[in-house]
Amino acid sequence: MIDPLTSIGRLAGAGLEAQSARLRIVAENLANAQSTGSTQGADPYSRKTILFESKFDAALGAERVRVDAIVNDDDTPFRIEYDPGHPAADADGNVKLPNVNMLMEMADMREATRSYEANLQMMKQARSMVSMTIDLLRGS
Amino acid sequence: MKQWRLLVEPIHLFGLAGRHAEWAATRQATITANIANANTPGFEAKDIEPFESVLDKTSLRMAATSQGHIGVGYGPTGGNEAREVDTWDVTHSGNSVRIDQELAKANETSRAFTLDTSIVRSFHRMIMTSLRSTG
């Protein structure tokens, strides 16, 4: 087991990585909010969600977070819009639009940002604790 | 070296402050693990034993008189026994980490660590003063 103050850097680093992966997925979803299929009746872009998992790290002696999987959200139905001129329109003239909900993505983005900040705060605090210890060596 | 130990050990303030600092660092690592897992489903927030109970349980360490001895009693004094705490709230996913609560705890721990280093520094200054005045 390594020094707790050193392990903080790695634990918080894993948190930062996980939250930034989450932000990337949010960006992907938002960017593809209007991505429809190109052939008749084709499925549009399907919203993605990220799954986190805590895994015990023996070297750190603590549970660090990691990205378990990035999966497609198949439970939320696609939005249907009547647009017969669209290349992806089916026989009835209905176009399937991605199941991306802007409001939900924004809320997810906010939460990811908050968690990211909290991890960063812990990293900063650990760094100041380390420098406090090193400062003891300074002649007083 | 021997004399130095004699000078410091009876007062054992360095030892106490050092152990408290170790405890604070371990607690900070536990809090960081909680915050990193703030969005992990089913993760339960953890905390370590308070320093008082760690101190109460500590017994004397056995000295290793031969190199073949396994380090008896050696280990982190920081009370790394993780236990669940009464958290403010549990979300639907079974996660019991509240970021605000954890950050408050982190600040408290950081303050304790600052106190430890300040104590060590001022005590060191005290010793240095007494050493210099004899010269």
Short mmCIF file of all heavy atoms in Angstrom, two decimals, chain A residues 3-42:
data_model
loop_
_atom_site.label_atom_id
_atom_site.label_comp_id
_atom_site.label_asym_id
_atom_site.label_seq_id
_atom_site.Cartn_x
_atom_site.Cartn_y
_atom_site.Cartn_z
N ASP A 3 1.63 5.48 0.07
CA ASP A 3 1.29 6.58 0.95
C ASP A 3 -0.09 7.15 0.60
O ASP A 3 -0.39 7.36 -0.58
CB ASP A 3 2.39 7.65 0.76
CG ASP A 3 2.07 8.90 1.51
OD1 ASP A 3 1.97 8.80 2.73
OD2 ASP A 3 1.91 9.95 0.87
N PRO A 4 -0.93 7.40 1.61
CA PRO A 4 -2.29 7.88 1.34
C PRO A 4 -2.33 9.16 0.50
O PRO A 4 -3.16 9.29 -0.39
CB PRO A 4 -2.87 8.14 2.72
CG PRO A 4 -2.05 7.37 3.66
CD PRO A 4 -0.73 7.16 3.05
N LEU A 5 -1.39 10.07 0.79
CA LEU A 5 -1.40 11.34 0.05
C LEU A 5 -1.07 11.13 -1.43
O LEU A 5 -1.56 11.83 -2.29
CB LEU A 5 -0.43 12.34 0.67
CG LEU A 5 -0.88 12.95 1.99
CD1 LEU A 5 0.16 13.92 2.49
CD2 LEU A 5 -2.22 13.63 1.86
N THR A 6 -0.24 10.12 -1.71
CA THR A 6 0.07 9.81 -3.10
C THR A 6 -1.12 9.12 -3.76
O THR A 6 -1.42 9.36 -4.94
CB THR A 6 1.30 8.88 -3.19
OG1 THR A 6 2.27 9.33 -2.26
CG2 THR A 6 1.89 8.86 -4.57
N SER A 7 -1.78 8.27 -2.98
CA SER A 7 -2.92 7.55 -3.56
C SER A 7 -4.08 8.50 -3.88
O SER A 7 -4.85 8.23 -4.80
CB SER A 7 -3.38 6.45 -2.62
OG SER A 7 -4.10 6.97 -1.54
N ILE A 8 -4.16 9.63 -3.15
CA ILE A 8 -5.23 10.60 -3.43
C ILE A 8 -5.13 11.08 -4.88
O ILE A 8 -6.13 11.16 -5.58
CB ILE A 8 -5.15 11.79 -2.45
CG1 ILE A 8 -5.62 11.36 -1.07
CG2 ILE A 8 -6.02 12.95 -2.94
CD1 ILE A 8 -5.54 12.42 -0.03
N GLY A 9 -3.90 11.36 -5.31
CA GLY A 9 -3.71 11.83 -6.68
C GLY A 9 -4.25 10.86 -7.70
O GLY A 9 -4.93 11.24 -8.64
N ARG A 10 -3.99 9.56 -7.47
CA ARG A 10 -4.44 8.56 -8.43
C ARG A 10 -5.95 8.34 -8.35
O ARG A 10 -6.62 8.16 -9.36
CB ARG A 10 -3.73 7.24 -8.17
CG ARG A 10 -2.23 7.40 -8.36
CD ARG A 10 -1.57 6.10 -8.58
NE ARG A 10 -0.14 6.22 -8.35
CZ ARG A 10 0.66 5.20 -8.18
NH1 ARG A 10 0.17 3.98 -8.22
NH2 ARG A 10 1.95 5.37 -7.98
N LEU A 11 -6.48 8.36 -7.10
CA LEU A 11 -7.93 8.16 -6.93
C LEU A 11 -8.70 9.30 -7.59
O LEU A 11 -9.64 9.07 -8.35
CB LEU A 11 -8.28 8.11 -5.44
CG LEU A 11 -7.90 6.86 -4.68
CD1 LEU A 11 -8.09 7.08 -3.19
CD2 LEU A 11 -8.75 5.70 -5.15
N ALA A 12 -8.27 10.53 -7.28
CA ALA A 12 -8.95 11.69 -7.86
C ALA A 12 -8.73 11.74 -9.36
O ALA A 12 -9.63 12.14 -10.12
CB ALA A 12 -8.46 12.97 -7.20
N GLY A 13 -7.55 11.29 -9.81
CA GLY A 13 -7.28 11.25 -11.25
C GLY A 13 -8.22 10.31 -11.96
O GLY A 13 -8.72 10.63 -13.05
N ALA A 14 -8.50 9.16 -11.33
CA ALA A 14 -9.46 8.21 -11.93
C ALA A 14 -10.84 8.85 -11.99
O ALA A 14 -11.58 8.66 -12.97
CB ALA A 14 -9.49 6.93 -11.11
N GLY A 15 -11.18 9.61 -10.94
CA GLY A 15 -12.47 10.31 -10.92
C GLY A 15 -12.56 11.34 -12.03
O GLY A 15 -13.58 11.43 -12.73
N LEU A 16 -11.49 12.09 -12.23
CA LEU A 16 -11.46 13.11 -13.28
C LEU A 16 -11.62 12.45 -14.65
O LEU A 16 -12.37 12.94 -15.51
CB LEU A 16 -10.14 13.88 -13.25
CG LEU A 16 -9.87 14.79 -12.06
CD1 LEU A 16 -8.51 15.42 -12.19
CD2 LEU A 16 -10.93 15.86 -11.96
N GLU A 17 -10.94 11.33 -14.83
CA GLU A 17 -11.00 10.63 -16.11
C GLU A 17 -12.43 10.14 -16.39
O GLU A 17 -12.96 10.31 -17.50
CB GLU A 17 -10.04 9.45 -16.06
CG GLU A 17 -9.64 8.92 -17.40
CD GLU A 17 -8.76 7.69 -17.27
OE1 GLU A 17 -7.91 7.67 -16.37
OE2 GLU A 17 -8.95 6.77 -18.06
N ALA A 18 -13.05 9.56 -15.35
CA ALA A 18 -14.41 9.03 -15.52
C ALA A 18 -15.39 10.15 -15.84
O ALA A 18 -16.23 10.02 -16.74
CB ALA A 18 -14.83 8.28 -14.26
N GLN A 19 -15.26 11.27 -15.10
CA GLN A 19 -16.21 12.36 -15.32
C GLN A 19 -15.99 13.03 -16.67
O GLN A 19 -16.94 13.48 -17.31
CB GLN A 19 -16.12 13.40 -14.21
CG GLN A 19 -16.47 12.89 -12.83
CD GLN A 19 -17.90 12.39 -12.71
OE1 GLN A 19 -18.76 12.73 -13.52
NE2 GLN A 19 -18.16 11.57 -11.70
N SER A 20 -14.73 13.08 -17.13
CA SER A 20 -14.51 13.70 -18.43
C SER A 20 -15.00 12.77 -19.55
O SER A 20 -15.48 13.25 -20.58
CB SER A 20 -13.05 14.10 -18.63
OG SER A 20 -12.22 13.01 -18.40
N ALA A 21 -14.92 11.46 -19.32
CA ALA A 21 -15.50 10.52 -20.30
C ALA A 21 -17.02 10.73 -20.38
O ALA A 21 -17.61 10.69 -21.46
CB ALA A 21 -15.18 9.09 -19.90
N ARG A 22 -17.60 11.00 -19.20
CA ARG A 22 -19.05 11.25 -19.16
C ARG A 22 -19.41 12.51 -19.92
O ARG A 22 -20.39 12.55 -20.67
CB ARG A 22 -19.46 11.36 -17.70
CG ARG A 22 -20.92 11.54 -17.47
CD ARG A 22 -21.13 11.65 -15.98
NE ARG A 22 -22.50 11.90 -15.63
CZ ARG A 22 -22.87 12.19 -14.38
NH1 ARG A 22 -21.96 12.24 -13.43
NH2 ARG A 22 -24.12 12.42 -14.10
N LEU A 23 -18.57 13.56 -19.74
CA LEU A 23 -18.81 14.82 -20.46
C LEU A 23 -18.67 14.62 -21.97
O LEU A 23 -19.39 15.23 -22.75
CB LEU A 23 -17.81 15.88 -19.99
CG LEU A 23 -18.21 16.69 -18.77
CD1 LEU A 23 -17.09 17.63 -18.39
CD2 LEU A 23 -19.47 17.48 -19.04
N ARG A 24 -17.75 13.76 -22.36
CA ARG A 24 -17.55 13.48 -23.78
C ARG A 24 -18.80 12.83 -24.37
O ARG A 24 -19.21 13.16 -25.49
CB ARG A 24 -16.35 12.56 -23.96
CG ARG A 24 -15.85 12.46 -25.39
CD ARG A 24 -14.66 11.52 -25.44
NE ARG A 24 -15.03 10.17 -25.02
CZ ARG A 24 -15.47 9.23 -25.85
NH1 ARG A 24 -15.60 9.48 -27.12
NH2 ARG A 24 -15.77 8.03 -25.40
N ILE A 25 -19.40 11.92 -23.59
CA ILE A 25 -20.62 11.25 -24.06
C ILE A 25 -21.75 12.27 -24.19
O ILE A 25 -22.52 12.25 -25.16
CB ILE A 25 -21.01 10.11 -23.09
CG1 ILE A 25 -19.91 9.06 -23.05
CG2 ILE A 25 -22.33 9.49 -23.49
CD1 ILE A 25 -19.64 8.39 -24.39
N VAL A 26 -21.84 13.20 -23.21
CA VAL A 26 -22.87 14.25 -23.28
C VAL A 26 -22.68 15.06 -24.55
O VAL A 26 -23.64 15.34 -25.29
CB VAL A 26 -22.80 15.15 -22.03
CG1 VAL A 26 -23.69 16.36 -22.21
CG2 VAL A 26 -23.19 14.39 -20.79
N ALA A 27 -21.42 15.43 -24.83
CA ALA A 27 -21.12 16.22 -26.03
C ALA A 27 -21.50 15.45 -27.29
O ALA A 27 -22.07 16.01 -28.23
CB ALA A 27 -19.64 16.58 -26.06
N GLU A 28 -21.22 14.15 -27.27
CA GLU A 28 -21.56 13.31 -28.42
C GLU A 28 -23.06 13.28 -28.65
O GLU A 28 -23.54 13.41 -29.78
CB GLU A 28 -21.02 11.91 -28.15
CG GLU A 28 -20.70 11.12 -29.40
CD GLU A 28 -20.06 9.79 -29.06
OE1 GLU A 28 -19.19 9.76 -28.16
OE2 GLU A 28 -20.45 8.78 -29.67
N ASN A 29 -23.80 13.10 -27.54
CA ASN A 29 -25.26 13.07 -27.64
C ASN A 29 -25.81 14.38 -28.16
O ASN A 29 -26.69 14.40 -29.03
CB ASN A 29 -25.87 12.76 -26.27
CG ASN A 29 -25.70 11.31 -25.89
OD1 ASN A 29 -25.47 10.47 -26.74
ND2 ASN A 29 -25.82 11.03 -24.61
N LEU A 30 -25.31 15.49 -27.61
CA LEU A 30 -25.82 16.81 -28.01
C LEU A 30 -25.48 17.09 -29.47
O LEU A 30 -26.30 17.63 -30.22
CB LEU A 30 -25.23 17.90 -27.12
CG LEU A 30 -25.82 18.00 -25.72
CD1 LEU A 30 -25.09 19.06 -24.92
CD2 LEU A 30 -27.31 18.32 -25.77
N ALA A 31 -24.26 16.70 -29.89
CA ALA A 31 -23.85 16.96 -31.27
C ALA A 31 -24.70 16.16 -32.25
O ALA A 31 -24.95 16.61 -33.37
CB ALA A 31 -22.38 16.59 -31.44
N ASN A 32 -25.16 14.99 -31.81
CA ASN A 32 -25.94 14.13 -32.70
C ASN A 32 -27.44 14.22 -32.44
O ASN A 32 -28.18 13.31 -32.79
CB ASN A 32 -25.48 12.68 -32.56
CG ASN A 32 -24.18 12.44 -33.27
OD1 ASN A 32 -24.10 12.59 -34.49
ND2 ASN A 32 -23.15 12.08 -32.53
N ALA A 33 -27.86 15.33 -31.83
CA ALA A 33 -29.28 15.46 -31.45
C ALA A 33 -30.20 15.47 -32.66
O ALA A 33 -31.41 15.24 -32.53
CB ALA A 33 -29.48 16.71 -30.61
N GLN A 34 -29.67 15.76 -33.83
CA GLN A 34 -30.50 15.80 -35.03
C GLN A 34 -30.04 14.81 -36.09
O GLN A 34 -30.44 14.93 -37.26
CB GLN A 34 -30.48 17.22 -35.62
CG GLN A 34 -30.99 18.32 -34.69
CD GLN A 34 -32.47 18.18 -34.38
OE1 GLN A 34 -33.23 17.65 -35.20
NE2 GLN A 34 -32.89 18.64 -33.22
N SER A 35 -29.19 13.86 -35.71
CA SER A 35 -28.64 12.94 -36.72
C SER A 35 -29.65 11.83 -37.04
O SER A 35 -29.83 10.90 -36.25
CB SER A 35 -27.36 12.31 -36.22
OG SER A 35 -26.43 13.30 -35.88
N THR A 36 -30.27 11.95 -38.20
CA THR A 36 -31.23 10.93 -38.61
C THR A 36 -30.52 9.91 -39.51
O THR A 36 -29.36 10.08 -39.87
CB THR A 36 -32.37 11.57 -39.40
OG1 THR A 36 -31.80 12.29 -40.48
CG2 THR A 36 -33.18 12.50 -38.53
N GLY A 37 -31.25 8.85 -39.87
CA GLY A 37 -30.70 7.90 -40.83
C GLY A 37 -30.74 8.51 -42.22
O GLY A 37 -31.30 9.59 -42.42
N SER A 38 -30.11 7.83 -43.19
CA SER A 38 -30.10 8.40 -44.54
C SER A 38 -30.92 7.57 -45.53
O SER A 38 -31.20 8.03 -46.63
CB SER A 38 -28.67 8.54 -45.03
OG SER A 38 -28.01 7.31 -44.89
N THR A 39 -31.30 6.37 -45.12
CA THR A 39 -32.12 5.57 -46.03
C THR A 39 -33.55 5.49 -45.50
O THR A 39 -33.81 5.85 -44.35
CB THR A 39 -31.56 4.14 -46.15
OG1 THR A 39 -31.40 3.63 -44.83
CG2 THR A 39 -30.21 4.13 -46.84
N GLN A 40 -34.44 5.01 -46.33
CA GLN A 40 -35.86 4.98 -45.97
C GLN A 40 -36.11 4.16 -44.70
O GLN A 40 -35.73 2.99 -44.64
CB GLN A 40 -36.67 4.42 -47.12
CG GLN A 40 -38.15 4.72 -46.96
CD GLN A 40 -38.97 4.15 -48.12
OE1 GLN A 40 -38.45 3.46 -48.97
NE2 GLN A 40 -40.24 4.47 -48.13
N GLY A 41 -36.74 4.79 -43.71
CA GLY A 41 -37.11 4.10 -42.47
C GLY A 41 -35.94 3.73 -41.57
O GLY A 41 -36.11 2.97 -40.62
N ALA A 42 -34.74 4.25 -41.87
CA ALA A 42 -33.57 3.87 -41.08
C ALA A 42 -33.64 4.48 -39.67
O ALA A 42 -34.26 5.52 -39.46
CB ALA A 42 -32.29 4.35 -41.76
#
